[in-house]
Amino acid sequence: MERTLVLCKPDAVQRGLVGSILNRFEQKGLKLVGLKMRKFPDEVIQQHYSVHADKPFYSALVGFMTSGPVVAIALEGKDAINCVRGLMGKTNSAEAAPGTIRGDFGLSFSNNLVHGSDGPESSATELALFFSEEGDLIDWTPDVTAWVYSEEELS
Ligand code: IDP
Ligand code: MG
């Protein structure tokens, strides 16, 4: 099982799409293990996007991500990182496939509704950054687990 970080960006919160977005992940069978709404401090967002610090869009990106509340979601499941990236769709929402979150709900490159970790290292770092307090992440087993996965997949 893998864990990954999703952020519902300020455009998703402002447009009232948090429930629809969370629903996609829950319907897929991914387990919700953390949920937090905050206006995250500049330093947290700067650190989160530090890999893009030398890009021309970096300051606009940080400005956008601190322009309003963000909802951070921690998800767990088989191959959760790739799974979430697939459900999100391509970075440029105008090009994202129908059926994906960006493909169904957006048209913008920058205001593209969601962030998802892109690998095991980034997911570990990002989860530690956004869910840093004791008790932020919950270990639990949904009763439906045995129906989401086969016995073999769970062993
Ligand atoms: P990702 O969110 O699909 O992983 P990244 O390349 O990691 O895409 O870029 C991080 C975020 O920065 C994007 O989601 C988008 O909001 C923004 N971004 C990336 N490239 C551009 C660009 O060329 N113009 C404007 N914003 C961009
Ligand atoms: Mg990225």
Side-chain angles (χ1 to χ4, degrees), residues 20-141:
S20 301
I21 291 168
L22 185 54
N23 199 31
R24 299 279 172 114
F25 300 121
E26 286 194 299
Q27 285 180 323
K28 179 72 175 165
L30 290 160
K31 175 168 72 169
L32 188 58
V33 291
L35 188 63
K36 184 185 273 193
M37 182 179 186
R38 292 281 188 285
K39 233 183 140 214
F40 288 102
D42 288 10
E43 304 75 58
V44 170
I45 299 298
Q46 281 162 359
Q47 195 177 330
H48 174 65
Y49 278 124
S50 56
V51 64
H52 294 307
D54 56 355
K55 305 274 173 61
F57 59 83
Y58 177 70
S59 62
L61 176 60
V62 172
F64 166 57
M65 291 296 292
T66 53
S67 65
V70 164
V71 174
I73 303 169
L75 295 167
E76 186 182 298
K78 285 261 187 223
D79 204 18
I81 296 168
N82 280 330
C83 213
V84 163
R85 297 280 297 181
L87 291 170
M88 284 167 36
K90 282 178 72 172
T91 306
N92 183 355
S93 308
E95 291 177 1
T100 65
I101 292 165
R102 287 165 170 168
D104 286 352
F105 299 137
L107 287 165
S108 167
F109 206 131
S110 48
N111 296 20
N112 58 4
L113 303 157
V114 276
H115 163 83
S117 309
D118 64 6
E121 293 81 23
S122 59
S123 74
T125 316
E126 292 173 1
L127 285 167
L129 183 61
F130 286 90
F131 293 96
S132 55
E133 283 155 49
E134 178 92 24
D136 274 354
L137 295 174
I138 314 290
D139 289 315
W140 67 296
T141 305

